[in-house]
Amino acid sequence: MGESTATNNHHHQNGRALEFPVNMPSHYGSKVVDDDGRPQRTGTVWTASAHIITAVIGSGVLSLAWAIGQLGWIAGPAVMFLFSFVIYYTSTLLSDCYRSGDPLFGKRNYTYMDAVRSSLGEFQVKLCGLIQYLNIFGVAIGYTIAAAISMMAIKRSNCFHKSGGKDPCAISSNPYMIAFGVTQILFSQIPDFDQIWWLSIVAAIMSFTYSSIGLGLGVAQVAANGSIKGSLTGISVGTVTETQKIWRSFQALGDIAFAYSFSIILIEIQDTVKSPPSEAKTMKKATLISTIVTTIFYMLCGCMGYAAFGDLAPGNLLTGFGFYNPFWLLDIANAAIVIHLVGAYQVYCQPLFAFVEKWAAARWPDSSFISKEIQIPVPFMQQPYGLNLFRLTWRSGFAVVTTVISMLMPFFNDVVGILGAFGFWPLTVYYPVEMYIVQKKIPRWSTKWISLQMLSLACLAISIAAAAGSVAGVVLDLKVYRPFKTSY
């Protein structure tokens, strides 16, 4: 790479431009830089697996006991295996799309959108972007609801504990949602939030904390019951009507899909991996390891929760009040959920924030409202804080809107089901399959092409069913619900 190209080279990673110094070593494969002039990548199978597991095991775990409760001991685990197989398979297809053309020396795609752009063209990029950003918006709402429910659970378990279970302890969710929203407004003003190195370590510790507590309490409950609850076919007709049983089974598919939706981050993780061997090879191993770990973990949490409560498995394992004691342990678990979600919300929303800010800067290049940074000195900090008015108003507005919608529709399960259904097929199945077909030049109507399209259609059908089930769930919830008046 000559000097002139090195200086003009703006690569985008996480929506930010990185500029390269002029005096960059130009020989390929040197210890300092990779073939694209970026600093040498050092990631291995283990770091990539750790990144995936950290990103995946999140609030999706909490609705799995409920999902297995709807489907029963046979279909529940079977559906989970099916999803884990599909996500593993489409992730291996995706890992072949990191480089366009040659698997060892082809042009790198730094993000999921870059891969879509180089395989499928501009129109598909816009469509994919729309789906991805709507998904981020939905996840922000889901996280707000989940965090508020956990904060209320802490308050409630302490209130139960004080009154010895005599006080029903009804609390409104609104103050907690507003508190979470205000926290997000403050955090969204921290520049480069997703680059804070200790953040993912904290997130990983938190998600393992609450998932393990959920799992441990499930095991303890099963031991206390002295038997395993639940039935082979799931929640019995009688507890719910036949129509409800069908809708809830569909919704359970959406909940499981949500727990497994992580394709969108894979290419960015692959971009941290060193080569040789080719990045795709390393990534396939990492995906296999992380899918196995995640599935075992999900199976344990979901099945233990169902075994402990049977038909009464709550929609959110740690707040549905199957467990009252040990109350301090539940408080720790719910506090861990809140801490995890505060950070996860920001990391998840960064691409959307960056996209809107970049678009606005390009659209109104001369506006000082958009581009000007007001330098504010901060005590104990070397650099002053750059306050940007557009960033302040837009990100705060985003947090306010997600909070208000959460207050209008505080149904954790149904919202998770809708998100799972909406994001699963396009981002996890359709795009990886289509990009792989282009990448490997698979001829139309060949056996492989037909098999891939059948897989894609089957997953589309599952997504539609899950979406229908979750929407039906929201409609049922809205019948008995008055806006802004939720208390548990």
Side-chain angles (χ1 to χ4, degrees), residues 237-481:
V237 174
T239 319
V240 290
T241 63
E242 273 184 21
T243 347
Q244 265 178 322
K245 165 89 179 157
I246 294 169
W247 288 130
R248 288 176 123 195
S249 304
F250 285 163
Q251 191 186 329
L253 296 176
D255 283 11
I256 296 173
F258 177 75
Y260 275 110
S261 299
F262 55 89
S263 303
I264 200 93
I265 53 166
L266 291 177
I267 286 195
E268 304 198 11
I269 292 174
Q270 191 164 345
D271 192 38
T272 64
V273 172
K274 65 177 178 203
S275 64
S278 77
E279 295 91 352
K281 219 178 204 158
T282 309
M283 203 56 190
K284 283 174 187 171
K285 277 188 197 148
T287 318
L288 183 64
I289 294 167
S290 47
T291 311
I292 291 172
V293 171
T294 310
T295 304
I296 291 172
F297 200 72
Y298 280 0
M299 282 289 186
L300 284 170
C301 287
C303 293
M304 275 304 161
Y306 182 44
F309 299 118
D311 281 358
L312 301 174
N316 180 332
L317 192 58
L318 291 170
T319 57
F321 281 86
F323 306 115
Y324 292 108
N325 283 316
F327 82 106
W328 53 270
L329 191 60
L330 275 177
D331 290 355
I332 292 173
N334 281 305
I337 293 176
V338 175
I339 295 169
H340 179 202
L341 291 178
V342 166
Y345 180 104
Q346 284 303 326
V347 173
Y348 232 89
C349 293
Q350 289 300 321
L352 178 58
F353 290 163
F355 168 76
V356 170
E357 280 147 32
K358 224 167 80 183
W359 173 82
R363 181 88 176 64
W364 296 283
D366 305 330
S367 157
S368 60
F369 174 69
I370 289 172
S371 52
K372 194 174 166 212
E373 295 240 329
I374 303 163
Q375 299 298 331
I376 300 173
V378 183
F380 314 117
M381 296 282 278
Q382 274 94 26
Q383 288 121 340
Y385 174 73
L387 177 74
N388 173 305
L389 289 177
F390 176 68
R391 188 174 66 211
L392 180 68
T393 42
W394 137 246
R395 293 188 179 190
S396 307
F398 179 85
V400 169
V401 171
T402 52
T403 307
V404 171
I405 295 177
S406 308
M407 286 158 66
L408 277 168
M409 285 185 32
F411 321 121
F412 176 69
N413 255 45
D414 306 326
V415 171
V416 163
I418 290 175
L419 286 174
F422 180 72
F424 177 72
W425 177 72
L427 301 175
T428 305
V429 185
Y430 173 76
Y431 282 115
V433 163
E434 292 300 315
M435 291 193 287
Y436 180 79
I437 288 174
V438 171
Q439 182 83 353
K440 295 287 184 218
K441 304 188 173 55
I442 295 169
R444 271 193 161 208
W445 307 112
S446 61
T447 318
K448 183 144 199 195
W449 187 87
I450 293 174
S451 324
L452 285 168
Q453 295 297 351
M454 280 170 70
L455 171 75
S456 184
L457 280 173
C459 292
L460 173 62
I462 291 174
S463 272
I464 292 172
S470 303
V471 170
V474 170
V475 170
L476 284 172
D477 289 335
L478 286 172
K479 278 185 184 156
V480 293
Y481 159 78

Side-chain angles (χ1 to χ4, degrees), residues 1 4-13 15-20 36 38 110 114 358:
M1 177 190 281
S4 58
T5 51
T7 40
N8 302 336
N9 222 349
H10 291 276
H11 273 306
H12 288 287
Q13 188 177 17
R16 266 192 312 286
L18 302 176
E19 295 186 31
F20 297 128
D36 59 344
R38 292 259 186 112
Y110 299 109
D114 290 344
K358 224 167 80 183

